[in-house]
Structures are given as structure tokens and as C-alpha cells.
Amino acid sequence: MTAAILAAAMALDALLGEPKWLWSRAPHPAVLMGRLVEAFDQSLNRGDARRLAGIITVSALSALAIALGLLIQSLPLGWLWSLLLTAILLAQRSLTEHVTAVADALRISLSEGRHAVSMIVGRDPDQLDEPAVARAAIESAAENLSDGVIAPAFWFLIAGLPGILAYKIINTADSMIGHRTERHEDFGWASARLDDVLNYIPARLTALLIALTTKLSALKTATQDGPKHRSVNAGWPEAAMAAALGLSLSGPRAYGGEMTDDPPMNATGTRDATPGDITAAVGVLWRVWAVTLAVVCVVALF
């Protein structure tokens, strides 16, 4: 029944996305998770034993998420609440909308494109030219396909509602405290490492799905270039998407005014990225979603 619930949740997410009328009146579960992570950060991220405090934080967050998932599943109509919450925690529709918004804005003007892409990436947008804005949107599409769609679906299929809730809260923690800053170097270590573990299989599965829905040679590019990325996981879907579109992604980028020396994904893709490439990337997102849904339905049947 877990697979059947997941299939229905994927369809519901794709159909409705994140209704503004609802989340303008109530806090999104991701927002609540963020507040919980922030509370742990404010209360425990101090003193000399910050790495231990971070391990305690990750353990507590995971335990709370699993306990909540088990409680919801045990309620009357637990399958329905699981379906609705899972649909909320999946991000296929919202991801495609945000990425499409960058293409639409970039077709109007560079400044509009910079503003739109700043909503979905952490790099400095002010110095980006049109191809760089397009590349940033496509990179975000590839990475968030793994983090926001395939990984949550994978962990729901493995462990039901407790699995997806635990994944999402650790992923949220990583996005908030997992960066290597002076404040979070030690405290965020556990969340960053656990997030790497939880995304290890989904990231590579995402690269495989991109290759299966575009061209198989994209998987070879992912296996060659993915390990070069500074992230143990993000490079795999990025490299696969780069090869699928015939572009070069990643490479040196500016964060907080400082340039990185990241290697390119699919260095043979030398042409400039365009708004049309963003649209093509969104098409890949939907093809991967469709194949994933088909696989989940087959699992549900058998």
C-alpha cells in the first residue's frame, strides 16, 4: 500500500503543487521544520562541544520526525493523512514552476532573469550574464529534482511517512546549518554528513533516470564528472543534465563575493545556455517524474 499512496501523492503534487490560498493562511510543513532547526541552533550551538551538540540535534530531529510519522500513520484514515502530507513534501510542480519562471523572466530582460534566479540559487546574481543565469536555473533544476522529488519519494517507498519526514527534516537542517561557516563548521557537521548519506542513492538514481529519459551517454558523463563536484551527490544529476542538454554546467561561481574553483560538468558542452535550454530542462524534469511514477505504479501492482 505504501507504493500506492506514493503514486497518488505524486499525482496530487503534480496536479496542485503548493496552493497559495492554503500556504498564505497556514505555515508550510517545511517552514515548521525550519523553525524547529532554528530553535535547536539557537539553544545548542554554543560552547566547546558544538560537534556533539550537532549530533544530538540531528538525532533528536530524526527521532521526532520518525515518531510523528508513526503517530500519523496510526491515526484513523492514516493512509489518507500520509498521502496528503507526502504530496505536500514532494516538490515536482513547484520546482518546475520556479525554474520556468526564470526562463520567462529571462526572455523579458536580463535584470528580470537575475531576480527570478535569485529565488532559487544561493550564488550572487548581479554579475551573471544571460547564459550564466540560464545555467544557474538548470543546475538548480537538476539538483532539486534529486533533493525535492526523487529522494523524498525514495525514502517514502523505503520507510513510509516516517522515512520521508526524517529525510525532509535532515535535508532542511543541512540547508540551514550544514554549510561550512564559522558558526556552523562543527555544529552543522552531523546534518551535512547524514544528508550526504541519505542522498547518496537518490542522486545517482536521478542521474540514471535523466539518462534513461534523454540519452544513455548522459550516465557515462555523470559517472565521470559527478565525483569531481564539491558535493558528493549534487554533481551526478547536474552532470547528467548537462550531457542531456549538450551544455557545460557548474564551473567557477561567485558566492558571497568569493569565486569558487568548481570544475565543469560536461566540459565538452561549449555553447551558451539559453532560456530555451531552461525549458528543455523542465521537460526532462517531467519525463523523469513520469518514469518514476510508472515504476512506483508497477511496484504498487506487484
Side-chain angles (χ1 to χ4, degrees):
M1 190 169 182
T2 299
I5 292 172
L6 176 58
M10 290 180 65
L12 187 61
D13 166 56
L15 181 65
L16 298 180
E18 298 184 352
K20 292 182 180 180
W21 63 266
L22 175 59
W23 304 124
S24 63
R25 293 171 172 80
H28 193 282
V31 173
L32 296 177
M33 290 180 184
R35 291 175 183 172
L36 184 58
V37 172
E38 184 178 8
F40 274 95
D41 185 22
Q42 295 298 324
S43 60
L44 296 184
N45 189 9
R46 61 186 66 178
D48 297 327
R50 296 194 182 198
R51 180 165 292 195
L52 176 59
I55 294 172
I56 293 172
T57 294
V58 166
S59 300
L61 291 172
S62 301
L64 287 170
I66 292 170
L68 179 61
L70 291 171
L71 175 62
I72 293 173
Q73 285 185 161
S74 67
L75 294 173
L77 298 178
W79 66 270
L80 178 58
W81 312 129
S82 294
L83 190 162
L84 294 175
L85 187 52
T86 299
I88 291 170
L89 295 175
L90 293 170
Q92 174 71 17
R93 178 68 176 269
S94 62
L95 172 60
T96 58
E97 289 176 345
H98 281 94
V99 175
T100 298
V102 179
D104 293 341
L106 199 54
R107 290 186 175 102
I108 297 172
S109 70
L110 177 57
S111 61
E112 291 284 340
R114 286 172 173 171
H115 175 72
V117 84
S118 70
M119 300 293 103
I120 60 174
V121 300
R123 72 196 63 176
D124 300 333
D126 293 341
Q127 302 303 315
L128 299 179
D129 58 13
E130 180 173 311
V133 170
R135 287 197 306 272
I138 295 167
E139 290 163 14
S140 180
E143 183 176 355
N144 284 289
L145 174 63
S146 178
D147 290 358
V149 181
I150 303 302
F154 175 84
W155 286 109
F156 184 87
L157 198 59
I158 295 296
L161 189 61
I164 192 174
L165 285 174
Y167 170 77
K168 290 298 291 186
I169 202 163
I170 295 304
N171 189 245
T172 300
D174 176 60
S175 69
M176 295 179 65
I177 63 175
H179 300 289
R180 300 190 69 175
T181 62
E182 182 177 354
R183 174 174 173 79
H184 294 123
E185 176 75 26
D186 291 322
F187 185 72
W189 174 85
S191 63
R193 297 292 76 76
L194 183 54
D195 185 72
D196 286 343
V197 171
L198 294 177
N199 278 298
Y200 191 87
I201 294 175
R204 287 147 183 82
L205 183 58
T206 303
L208 173 61
L209 289 166
I210 291 173
L212 289 175
T213 56
T214 56
K215 50 188 177 183
L216 291 177
S217 60
L219 183 60
K220 181 180 179 181
T221 303
T223 60
Q224 290 176 340
D225 291 353
K228 300 175 186 177
H229 200 281
R230 60 175 171 165
S231 166
V232 70
N233 295 317
W236 285 73
E238 282 189 23
M241 183 69 82
L245 300 179
L247 300 171
S248 179
L249 299 177
S250 192
R253 292 165 290 182
Y255 291 91
E258 297 184 3
M259 289 296 295
T260 70
D261 58 354
D262 297 331
M265 301 289 102
N266 190 43
T268 59
T270 56
R271 67 181 181 83
D272 287 341
T274 67
D277 290 311
I278 303 176
T279 303
V282 172
V284 175
L285 299 184
W286 280 116
R287 289 198 293 274
V288 168
W289 174 87
V291 170
T292 303
L293 179 60
V295 171
V296 171
C297 288
V298 170
V299 173
L301 289 174
F302 294 98

